[in-house]
Amino acid sequence: MMASKVFFTNMRTQPGNNLLDKLGRVIEKAGIGNMDLKEKMVALKIHFGEPGNLAYIRPNYVALIVNKVKERGGKPFLTDCNTLYYGRRSNAIDHLEAAMENGFNRIAVGCDVIIADGLTGTDAKEIEINQKHVERAKIGTVVADADVIISINHFKGHEQTGFGGAIKNLGMGCGSRKGKLEMHSASKPKMDQEKCVSCGICLKNCPENAITYNEKRQAQIDYEKCIGCGQCVASCHYGAARAVYDQAADILNEKIAEYTLAVLKDKQHFHINFMMNISPDCDCWDVNDQAIVPDVGIAASTDPIALDRACVDLVNAAPEIEGSVIGDKRKLKKGGHD
């Protein structure tokens, strides 16, 4: 089997050769021009960034990729699925507003944003893959229906997967709310009754009427009816309904990989990792801590596994930034102190 190729460009620039120029060349070298995009619906899978987090990919880079797709006759759109937890991206209306706040709109990037799993995260298709953990992956309908997938990934640290790149963006990012729950948990949601304020929103959003009040007017779940869709988790404003994150890290990562297989099944695909603002945690947080290493560059490939592997090696080889969470821990190990 021939080894996959990953193409890379660093952060160095000079007059007449800026980072947008370098991005254009590296994705051409990596083979975006070899794709058949004419009249194809091209899903550009990206994380829009939780408002307050400023480490997400700049829309300027995305606009160049959009133009490359349009030059080849494709019909590009930006997309992501709603979050499992309650927040600014847990429904399509708030999600679209968050994307626009962060610069992902038709004026800035040249195409529209479509939330892949619908208004409340229930619009999904099941894709049969019959893997070790997942038989049928629950993928946002818009992603499942797209002809082509191009992942645009902020390569960074992640609190559960170590690093987050193409595979994390595709597998977890394209899972519907039920799919995200399947990846994170071997259990169904749990109700913290002490936090319940009896607002009734979880009862309203449960599609199976599995939630009722107990004698103290606290929400409770009937697990014989519960289908584990996660709607109560995403709709609860008070943190009473919560996912049970009981999946071991190795199983979580295997499930994410299996979901990535489902996302890319029978589709043309291409992947770009931006190793910039390499924060220690996911862009889902509404803050971004100081970068753990200096900016590294941009890499692209038709193989998301090879791409992520190359980026892990590049970031691990970079010097840690003193004062970052990594630099502080390294300093403590050497016996240093503030």
Side-chain angles (χ1 to χ4, degrees):
M1 182 181 294
M2 185 178 294
S4 298
K5 293 183 177 180
V6 177
F7 293 81
F8 169 76
T9 187
N10 62 26
M11 302 294 294
R12 296 300 305 275
T13 63
Q14 57 189 9
N17 183 31
N18 63 34
L19 285 173
L20 292 173
D21 297 327
K22 296 184 77 174
L23 169 62
R25 285 199 300 275
V26 77
I27 62 177
E28 289 289 351
K29 285 283 188 180
I32 197 170
N34 298 329
M35 302 178 77
D36 175 17
L37 302 182
K38 189 171 178 60
E39 296 299 315
K40 299 290 195 302
M41 291 181 285
V42 183
L44 304 180
K45 172 59 181 76
I46 192 169
H47 192 305
F48 300 115
E50 190 73 18
N53 186 309
L54 300 177
Y56 59 87
I57 298 168
R58 290 186 180 185
N60 312 64
Y61 294 114
V62 178
L64 184 141
I65 298 164
V66 168
N67 286 334
K68 290 285 184 182
V69 172
K70 286 182 174 180
E71 287 170 4
R72 287 159 178 79
K75 299 178 179 180
F77 61 93
L78 302 183
T79 193
D80 196 7
C81 284
N82 292 309
T83 58
L84 174 60
Y85 53 85
Y86 177 73
R88 290 289 306 276
R89 295 177 301 113
S90 60
N91 65 77
I93 297 171
D94 293 338
H95 204 158
L96 286 168
E97 288 183 353
M100 290 189 67
E101 279 183 32
N102 284 345
F104 298 100
N105 54 65
R106 172 171 284 276
I107 295 173
V109 300
C111 72
D112 291 315
V113 175
I114 305 175
I115 303 305
D117 58 345
L119 186 64
T120 59
T122 58
D123 188 3
K125 288 191 173 181
E126 293 194 0
I127 298 177
E128 186 174 352
I129 53 174
N130 296 317
Q131 295 299 302
K132 178 181 176 181
H133 302 289
V134 179
E135 293 184 5
R136 302 179 69 87
K138 294 79 176 169
I139 303 299
T141 296
V142 169
V143 169
D145 286 346
D147 300 310
V148 180
I149 305 292
I150 296 178
S151 69
I152 306 174
N153 317 297
H154 177 211
F155 192 86
K156 64 211 169 293
H158 191 274
E159 54 275 17
Q160 289 186 291
T161 63
F163 282 112
I167 295 172
K168 171 65 169 56
N169 187 28
L170 289 162
M172 185 62 72
C174 293
S176 69
R177 184 163 295 142
K178 191 173 181 180
K180 286 180 170 67
L181 190 61
E182 179 178 38
M183 283 180 272
H184 276 298
S185 178
S187 307
K188 292 179 179 178
K190 183 178 180 180
M191 198 66 68
D192 185 345
Q193 293 179 338
E194 291 184 0
K195 294 183 178 179
C196 178
V197 298
S198 307
C199 67
I201 194 167
C202 60
L203 281 71
K204 178 182 177 182
N205 282 276
C206 179
E208 300 297 318
N209 296 317
I211 303 176
T212 58
Y213 286 132
N214 63 15
E215 65 280 1
K216 296 181 180 179
R217 198 169 170 77
Q218 297 167 321
Q220 60 185 7
I221 299 173
D222 181 345
Y223 288 108
E224 291 188 1
K225 293 182 179 180
C226 176
I227 59 174
C229 67
Q231 285 299 104
C232 56
V233 178
S235 61
C236 180
H237 296 198
Y238 304 98
R242 58 186 180 86
V244 181
Y245 294 103
D246 58 359
Q247 201 71 83
D250 57 342
I251 297 176
L252 169 66
N253 281 284
E254 288 173 3
K255 285 184 175 181
I256 292 172
E258 291 175 9
Y259 261 70
T260 300
L261 173 66
V263 171
L264 302 181
K265 185 180 179 182
D266 301 325
K267 295 184 189 294
Q268 294 184 82
H269 53 91
F270 187 83
H271 314 279
I272 310 158
N273 278 3
F274 290 81
M275 291 169 280
M276 307 171 184
N277 297 311
I278 305 170
S279 50
D281 297 314
C282 183
D283 292 345
C284 290
W285 292 96
D286 61 2
V287 296
N288 57 285
D289 200 4
Q290 179 172 323
I292 56 176
V293 298
D295 289 350
V296 176
I298 307 168
S301 179
T302 55
D303 183 340
I305 299 172
L307 177 63
D308 277 357
R309 176 72 261 181
C311 292
V312 166
D313 292 343
L314 285 166
V315 171
N316 279 338
E320 70 268 14
I321 294 176
E322 186 174 349
S324 70
V325 64
I326 297 291
D328 285 348
K329 288 180 179 179
R330 190 70 57 90
K331 185 177 179 181
L332 288 171
K333 282 184 179 181
K334 292 179 179 178
H337 57 83
D338 291 332

